[in-house]
Amino acid sequence: MPLKSAVKRIALFGNGARRTIKGGTGSGDVNSRFVVNVEQGLSEGGYEITTKAWLDRYDEKVEAARAAYFQSVRAKMAENGMAAFMELFNNPFQEPSVIPITDADIEASKADAVIYVISRNSGEGRDRRPVPGDYELFEEEEAAIRKLTEAYPDVIVVLNTGGVMDTKVIRNMEHIGAILLMSQAGNIGGYALCDVLTGKTDPCGHLTTTWAENYEDYPCADTFSYRNGDTDDEYYEEGIFVGYRYFDSFNITPAYPFGYGSSYADFEWKVTGAKVEALQVKLSVEVKNSSSQYAGKETIQVYYSAPQGELEKPYQELAAFAKTKLLAPGETEELLLSYPVTQMASYSESEAAYVLEPGSYYIRVGVHSRKTAIVAAVVIPQKVVTKKLENKLTVDCDLFEMTAIDAVPYSYPTEQQEKEAAKVLSVPIEEIVCEKVSYQKEPKLCTAPDTEHKITMDEVRNGNYTMDELVGQLTVEELATLCVGTSRGEYGGDSIIGSASTLCPGAAGDTTSLMIEDRGIKNAVLADGPAGLRLAATFLTDSQDNQIPGTGGIAISGMEELLKGAPKPEIPADAKTYYQYCTAIPIATLLAQTWDMDLLEEAGDIVGEEMKEFGVTVWLAPGMNIHRNPLCGRNFEYYSEDPLLSGLCAAADTRGVQKHTGAGTCIKHFAFNNQEDNRMHVNSHVSERAAREIYLRGFEIAVKEAQPMSIMSSYNLVNGIHTANSYDLLTALARDEWGFKGIVMTDWGTTGGMEMEQGKTFKYGCSNAAACIKAGNDLIMPGSQNDVDEIIKSVGAKEGEVECPLTLEELQICAGRILRIV
């Protein structure tokens, strides 16, 4: 790579050649008007594809398997009703193994180049498996690629996967000319791949997750999710040693390290300045494109290594990064990178504070986590407390976290010399002001003014009345209705999870419309993501523009096939068809792999523009849970194993969306949603330090940098309390510590009703609707009458009368936040 100009005919094989995956399954799917696969991208790029007969035969195998799968799900639906649609989430269709490549296939191909595309799919409701056809190669894939390497001198392998997979078999084959991580690039991915293969675009991405040599190299490999037979309790025993923090601290060599990436261009870089100024570590780095032929971009990464003290520290942590513009051969650019000194503080559970322990903090600069050089040492002469808090997430069991005290970390031959030669940067610690947080007291009662006139939203906007006066006028029934989404069906009935909107067909849900007429309180429409808007592709209306029920497309992939043959309403002759096709942007992991925050903001801008077009208020994205383990089924929806990178990506995405007035993001899933098997009922046991430094930090950065319109709580429990019912998580941390100003909403069905198997019990049950309100979880989605009734009966109740007594003030403050968003 790139392909030479003499290449005209390409032999294209693999399950992703024609059936290219634009993004994963579940709520991360998008209904686009068209999807450009690899075959189409190369064909329209001017290449002749010589293997159409092989691709046609594989299509036949897949379609037969797909038909059998949906026949099986329909049988379950006949037995269990509409609840069986959850099978599409929990056990989605997986394409079968590839067909063999025969001698006749190779003889017929007669190509100038050969490309083999490996696809892997995953999604909501099910974790991946370290088995052939998922994390590992199918035996048939390995045999096919080996056969190609015997027939061709150079084979290009393209990975059309949203997550990590085992590459060692491919890497150890002879005649593998290149391995290219295409990832899942949205609905024009085939065009993008063609541009990279031809050299029109430089492949300048860098990994945001460590790719291990073996799955067993990951710290929680044997205990993650279903792996130990227990999906009820998940013990985060690796503590702060997640991703590269673990691999570097325990000196485990990965296949590809965090931050790794190749390019057609070559680059040279040197640090031209390092200083501490205004309590910021500031670096200037000169980057030169040293190649003679290719233009390209390079990403410079800055890490720090904190001194070991009372608190254990990982070998290194990402501190900052910057990407060059497109540099022509011989061109140079100076990058300026900086970060606060206090960013290097660690959380002390014993002090409930962030502290800078005394010693030298070595600053490393490079192009990935295993290719850096020490350029400076920031010296802290004595312990400094940078932020004083309260412990809010005390672990609920004996948690035996791993320790690296006796481990020998990663090193390289010149490391000690670099430490001795490092420029010493002093910090005026007397200028560091310890931040102290004031936590909320009981909310105040909103009282109505002395008038019988019904206050409207327009009057609040015009300043005639305050929002508190409007809230004070609402009855308990109105307040409860406002705090519960509009769906009133159960999942076994007509309502389909993630597709419950009455205003925007296929959107995930709405807030109430019951107060539009008398108070002018409009709905907020919420639509799924995070790779674009997931809406119904089509819907029909009558001549008065009233939607005709049962005639529109269904936003959830596979539902159309599942309901094939079901009776449909009569369609009037004058019916009109509307279309809601949306752009599928690249998955979050691929966006993050650009390390380009301007580009992420541009992706958010695309979504924000379509939100305005279709009348969507909140995009249920970005997803930003940490890549704790590569088998998490939704890792493709999330950015990285690193919280700093995750937080900055989410902030950039949010800025892009929210530059459109009235459009907002919903960062999710808050928090510790790091597995999909039994995601609704798993109890995540995690230490306060690991929670704050790894799993919550990205959310904190996103809130402080971009103020997203909303946050979505996750399904799971943390240390014995449902996140949806956790006051400490949703109010004390998000609002009091971080200054979050928007609304918090639940994930869909967190209060119950989604279980496919009727009567099944779980070790940990569902969250409680009234407890959601008490915790500051403003909006319960998609809503049910049970949720409304539970809230109403809990207001003013005494202990023992209901599961969670509420005050009127607690309900009012949630409703008020929703009204402010509206």
Side-chain angles (χ1 to χ4, degrees), residues 19 25 94 314 330 336 356 375 439 451 496 501 626 689 759 770:
R19 312 183 78 87
T25 63
Q94 298 288 332
L336 302 177
L356 284 167
V375 300
Y439 294 95
T451 176
I496 296 174
S501 173
I626 292 295
R689 182 184 178 191

Side-chain angles (χ1 to χ4, degrees), residues 22-24 26-32 184-187 498 506-508 526-536 555 580-588 591 600 602-611 614 616 618-623 636-637 639 653 657 664-665 668:
K22 73 180 189 303
S27 63
D29 200 6
V30 176
N31 292 312
S32 299
Q184 293 167 347
N187 65 295
L526 291 63
D528 255 322
L533 297 179
R534 190 186 69 174
L535 305 176
Q580 296 186 125
Y581 292 111
C582 298
T583 304
I585 62 175
I587 61 170
L591 288 175
L600 267 90
E602 189 175 341
D605 190 10
I606 291 171
V607 176
E609 182 178 350
E610 294 186 357
M611 291 172 69
F614 294 118
V616 174
V618 178
W619 182 39
L620 303 177
F636 71 96
E637 294 189 34
Y639 297 114
D653 228 342
V657 169
T665 62
K668 65 181 186 183

Side-chain angles (χ1 to χ4, degrees), residues 677-693:
D677 282 29
N678 195 34
R679 60 181 173 150
M680 298 193 70
H681 304 284
V682 63
N683 187 3
S684 297
H685 307 278
V686 57
S687 70
E688 180 113 12
R689 182 184 178 191
R692 288 181 177 274
E693 291 190 15

Side-chain angles (χ1 to χ4, degrees), residues 236-282:
Y236 287 52
E237 292 178 338
E238 69 275 18
I240 60 171
F241 296 107
V242 177
Y244 69 89
R245 288 167 169 82
Y246 170 77
F247 283 82
D248 295 343
S249 299
F250 290 85
N251 194 22
I252 298 172
T253 302
Y256 299 104
F258 175 82
Y260 172 84
S262 290
S263 170
Y264 296 145
D266 296 315
F267 297 93
E268 299 171 356
W269 62 268
K270 62 181 179 180
V271 175
T272 56
K275 61 183 178 181
V276 171
E277 182 179 77
L279 297 178
Q280 297 270 325
V281 178
K282 297 185 175 182

Side-chain angles (χ1 to χ4, degrees), residues 417-603:
Q417 292 173 267
E418 291 173 3
K419 287 183 177 180
E420 294 171 358
K423 179 180 180 180
V424 175
L425 304 178
S426 299
V427 177
I429 60 173
E430 68 278 0
E431 295 180 11
I432 298 176
V433 177
C434 178
E435 180 183 344
K436 295 181 181 179
V437 172
S438 175
Y439 294 95
Q440 289 182 31
K441 307 300 182 184
E442 293 295 321
K444 293 181 180 179
L445 181 69
C446 295
T447 56
D450 187 17
T451 176
E452 294 184 2
H453 167 70
K454 275 193 174 183
I455 301 171
T456 67
M457 186 66 87
D458 280 342
E459 289 173 321
V460 173
R461 272 195 293 266
N462 293 334
N464 306 104
Y465 296 94
T466 68
M467 183 65 79
D468 285 350
E469 287 174 324
L470 170 56
V471 172
Q473 223 181 40
L474 299 178
T475 66
V476 169
E477 289 76 10
E478 287 175 316
L479 293 166
T481 300
L482 189 59
C483 290
V484 176
T486 56
S487 177
R488 291 296 179 266
E490 301 301 328
Y491 296 118
D494 295 330
S495 179
I496 296 174
I497 186 173
S499 189
S501 173
T502 58
L503 292 177
C504 183
D510 315 311
T511 58
T512 185
S513 58
L514 296 180
M515 288 176 266
I516 290 178
E517 295 293 331
D518 59 348
R519 293 189 183 274
I521 298 173
K522 298 179 181 180
N523 307 67
V525 177
L526 291 63
D528 255 322
L533 297 179
R534 190 186 69 174
L535 305 176
T538 63
F539 65 92
L540 274 66
T541 69
D542 60 24
S543 58
Q544 280 77 46
D545 276 341
N546 298 306
Q547 186 184 345
I548 303 172
T551 60
I554 300 175
I556 298 172
S557 178
M559 283 299 296
E560 299 275 7
E561 179 73 21
L562 187 62
L563 299 177
K564 187 181 289 183
K568 295 204 172 183
E570 185 176 341
I571 300 174
D574 58 355
K576 291 185 284 187
T577 303
Y578 286 84
Y579 299 90
Q580 296 186 125
Y581 292 111
C582 298
T583 304
I585 62 175
I587 61 170
T589 301
L590 179 52
L591 288 175
Q593 285 170 175
T594 68
W595 296 65
D596 186 335
M597 298 305 104
D598 291 338
L599 191 147
L600 267 90
E601 188 169 327
E602 189 175 341

